[in-house]
Amino acid sequence: MSKMSELAEKNPWRRNPWFETVGEAQKRARKRLPKTVYSSLVAGTQAGITVNDNMNAFTELGFAPHVIGTTPERNLATTVMGQELPFPVMISPTGVQAVDPDGEVAVARAAANRGTAMGLSSFASKPVEEVTAVNDKTFFQIYWLGSREDILARAQRAKDAGCKGLIVTTDWVFNVGRDWGSPEIPEKVDLAAVAKLAPEMITKPKYALSWFRDGKLLIPDLTAPNIAHPDQAGPTFFDVYGQWMNTPPPTWEDLQWLREQWDGEFMVKGITRMDDAKRARDIGATAISVSNHGGNNLDGTPATIRVLGPIADELGNDLDVLLDGGIRRGSDVAKALALGAKAVMIGRAYLWGLAANGQAGVENVLDLMRMGLDSTLMGIGKNDVADLTRDDLIIPEGFERIFGG
């Protein structure tokens, strides 16, 4: 039995079947999911330059370990956007999570069981009220869709539901076309759509059976209930797309206005340029996420870990700097913290866990991140995540990117 398996056996949080790496979770997700569904989890725009660089850039960073000085117990705790977290890994908001019938509610429960925060997408398949009911550390992600009144109504709904802050996402333009083809997404999942996907579903019986409960078929919800008012049915994604295309992109003045309306924690997500980071600070943001939407926006944008350090050096004392993109293991988390991130947000990693084993699979991924970070701290001789610095890394010449003044 491997060391990780031994730890899992001793871990009271353990659920079967345990997987020992995020890579294994991805393999199980690919094996369990229909091709179309799995493809949506690995999608990147155009040639996939950015989605690949997000991961590959981490491999260019090395560690410079001390072998003496660590203690038997290490402190992984931090505070992000006013929330105390036992370890610096949060759930990044992702759209409709039809890889599991319980979707975002299962993810929120998993995050709550590990004490960490949940980012909930505007395009989630579950209402915000159901998510905050199981995780009181929920941040609501918001897109610039519709009028100011529409946007403010969604923010107010999130506040009324108990969300602790807003994540304003600026790094997505509905650009999902890839050189090797994108999965076809049905306008709605009705009997016609189910029949069209039947050949794929037949080859994935475990996934198909997961949508039966009490002898009834649960049709995956491809609507966005959090875009609508609480007493209205959520629009389809194609309806949302039409609304998106008819909404002028936000200006910094628009974000300033929204910040003035929201008196809680406020993150601007999608930062890669220094000048944009400074503008986010200047409008009163309490946090930024250095993000390129996981490689699902403008292909050719550098990996987020390449641009993190200079931004964190400049602004880390002014607001919480987070990173998302390419995190696959606890050592990746350590590298981001050493370059100045307060915490990281994960996306594909937990979705693969959800696909592999539902809520327990998400907990499994979070456990791997926590244990991997802890073992990395031990390996480099540090006792606290707050003590990680650039001196703990070997950074190749030319690794970092600085642009935008």
Side-chain angles (χ1 to χ4, degrees):
M1 180 181 292
S2 70
K3 183 64 176 178
M4 188 68 79
S5 295
E6 291 175 5
L7 288 170
E9 288 289 349
K10 297 175 183 178
N11 187 346
W13 290 339
R14 181 179 182 267
R15 303 288 188 273
N16 284 321
W18 174 268
F19 43 82
E20 298 191 6
T21 67
V22 170
E24 177 61 25
Q26 181 181 0
K27 290 179 183 177
R28 295 188 188 186
R30 184 173 186 174
K31 183 177 180 180
R32 178 175 175 269
L33 296 176
K35 181 179 179 181
T36 298
V37 179
Y38 176 76
S39 295
S40 68
L41 300 187
V42 296
T45 55
Q46 299 179 6
I49 295 169
T50 297
V51 70
N52 290 325
D53 196 33
N54 274 349
M55 294 181 294
N56 295 337
F58 279 99
T59 69
E60 298 178 27
L61 293 171
F63 288 113
H66 293 284
V67 294
I68 301 296
T70 191
T71 58
E73 298 293 331
R74 288 153 297 280
N75 179 36
L76 308 184
T78 191
T79 300
V80 177
M81 296 178 71
Q83 300 301 305
E84 295 181 359
L85 306 180
F87 60 106
V89 179
M90 296 169 48
I91 296 296
S92 187
T94 63
V96 58
Q97 296 171 7
V99 299
D100 182 87
D102 292 328
E104 294 83 5
V105 173
V107 174
R109 287 197 193 102
N113 285 348
R114 297 301 180 266
T116 198
M118 170 76 180
L120 180 69
S121 173
S122 286
F123 297 154
S125 63
K126 303 295 182 183
V128 60
E129 293 82 6
E130 292 184 16
V131 172
T132 55
V134 299
N135 190 322
D136 63 1
K137 297 177 181 178
T138 295
F139 297 100
F140 185 70
Q141 176 269 340
I142 201 161
Y143 286 105
W144 202 262
L145 287 170
S147 67
R148 283 189 171 189
E149 290 73 20
D150 294 331
I151 293 163
L152 191 58
R154 290 195 289 274
Q156 185 62 50
R157 177 180 176 182
K159 178 172 287 190
D160 292 343
C163 289
K164 296 301 191 291
L166 287 185
I167 299 174
V168 182
T169 295
T170 63
D171 58 346
W172 192 41
V173 292
F174 271 100
N175 182 4
V176 296
R178 297 178 297 163
D179 289 359
W180 59 92
S182 297
E184 181 181 356
I185 300 175
E187 182 170 353
K188 59 181 178 179
V189 180
D190 52 18
L191 291 178
V194 171
K196 188 173 182 178
L197 291 173
E200 290 187 33
M201 300 289 281
I202 290 172
T203 65
K204 306 292 182 181
K206 290 183 179 180
Y207 175 77
L209 288 173
S210 72
W211 290 93
F212 282 89
R213 189 169 294 169
D214 299 326
K216 298 179 181 179
L217 173 62
L218 304 175
I219 299 295
D221 189 353
L222 295 186
T223 62
N226 296 307
I227 296 295
H229 293 287
D231 57 348
Q232 297 177 339
T236 69
F237 282 96
F238 286 84
D239 291 334
V240 172
Y241 180 76
Q243 187 179 14
W244 176 285
M245 296 306 293
N246 287 294
T247 301
T251 64
W252 280 109
E253 288 71 25
D254 288 324
L255 296 190
Q256 175 78 63
W257 167 82
L258 183 58
R259 179 67 186 109
E260 292 169 354
Q261 310 308 308
W262 180 269
D263 59 3
E265 297 289 334
F266 190 93
M267 175 193 289
V268 177
K269 180 177 181 290
I271 300 294
T272 57
R273 293 175 57 101
M274 184 68 74
D275 50 358
D276 284 345
K278 292 177 180 178
R279 288 295 298 269
R281 175 197 60 192
D282 293 346
I283 69 168
T286 59
I288 57 174
S289 177
V290 177
S291 171
N292 52 41
H293 215 92
N296 274 299
N297 188 33
L298 179 64
D299 200 25
T301 304
T304 51
I305 193 67
R306 297 190 190 279
V307 302
L308 168 67
I311 291 173
D313 291 345
E314 180 75 20
L315 299 173
N317 292 326
D318 300 333
L319 39 65
D320 290 342
V321 178
L322 289 85
L323 174 135
D324 73 63
I327 300 289
R328 298 293 183 267
R329 49 190 63 83
S331 60
D332 295 339
V333 180
K335 291 172 182 178
L337 299 182
L339 287 174
K342 195 74 177 290
V344 304
M345 297 197 293
I346 59 172
R348 288 182 177 91
Y350 79 78
L351 289 174
W352 290 328
L354 182 67
N357 197 26
Q359 176 183 329
V362 180
E363 294 171 0
N364 192 156
V365 166
L366 290 170
D367 288 347
L368 291 173
M369 294 290 174
R370 176 181 53 81
M371 290 189 289
L373 175 59
D374 182 67
S375 63
T376 301
L377 247 63
M378 183 176 184
I380 61 179
K382 289 296 178 74
N383 300 319
D384 194 306
V385 290
D387 296 335
L388 289 166
T389 71
R390 285 173 172 268
D391 290 340
D392 298 309
L393 299 179
I394 301 170
I395 306 173
E397 184 178 354
F399 174 82
E400 293 183 299
R401 307 285 190 269
I402 305 173
F403 51 94

